[in-house]
Amino acid sequence: MNVSKILIGSDHAGLRLKNEIISHLADMDIDVVDVGTYTADSCNYPDYARALCKKIQSGEYGMGILICGTGIGMSMAANKHNGIRAACCSDTYSARMTRMHNNANVLCMGERVVGVGLACDIAEAFLSTEYQGGRHDIRVNMLAEIEAENQ
Ligand code: RB5
């Protein structure tokens, strides 16, 4: 695994899957910091996307995982943050490719979409794959240009 510490967050609809992923990654000696939510009470996914993305923006952490019912709301919220490249994945191929080509720094998944085993495989694929750089740099830099144009 390339990373030794990551952030994780969820809303109520992603809580169970989040807890499964936390124990799976802890078994792999990855330090996982949970930004919440911590209970099954209904809550709003943008709050947890914001909490996690701010810690990546500050440089404290390089990568994170966000889970909601579908993974879609979390990815939409995360991608509103400068410097965050969030990918909603429900297969391992996409998880590897979004690291290699998009230098994604946040993985989003849906508890109502993927089972625990697949979600853990997707997380492992994401966390163990390096960005390829090279010809992809120009395109990833263009994402930052779009952010700058929309300030
Ligand atoms: C919560 O019911 C659900 O809407 C949320 O977890 C997420 O799937 C939104 O994208």
Side-chain angles (χ1 to χ4, degrees), residues 18-30:
K18 178 179 70 177
N19 288 334
E20 295 280 0
I21 292 173
I22 290 172
S23 42
H24 183 77
L25 295 179
D27 285 347
M28 302 179 71
D29 285 333
I30 297 175

Side-chain angles (χ1 to χ4, degrees), residues 17-82:
L17 180 58
K18 178 179 70 177
N19 288 334
E20 295 280 0
I21 292 173
I22 290 172
S23 42
H24 183 77
L25 295 179
D27 285 347
M28 302 179 71
D29 285 333
I30 297 175
D31 180 17
V32 186
V33 171
D34 185 0
V35 301
T37 190
Y38 306 114
T39 74
D41 297 343
S42 183
C43 61
N44 302 316
Y45 58 84
D47 283 335
Y48 301 95
R50 180 188 283 120
L52 184 142
C53 292
K54 296 254 177 245
K55 287 184 185 293
I56 294 181
Q57 286 177 320
S58 75
E60 245 184 293
Y61 288 82
M63 280 196 196
I65 297 176
L66 287 168
I67 301 167
C68 61
T70 59
I72 296 171
M74 282 293 197
S75 63
M76 288 181 171
N79 279 319
K80 297 291 181 194
H81 295 79
N82 288 345

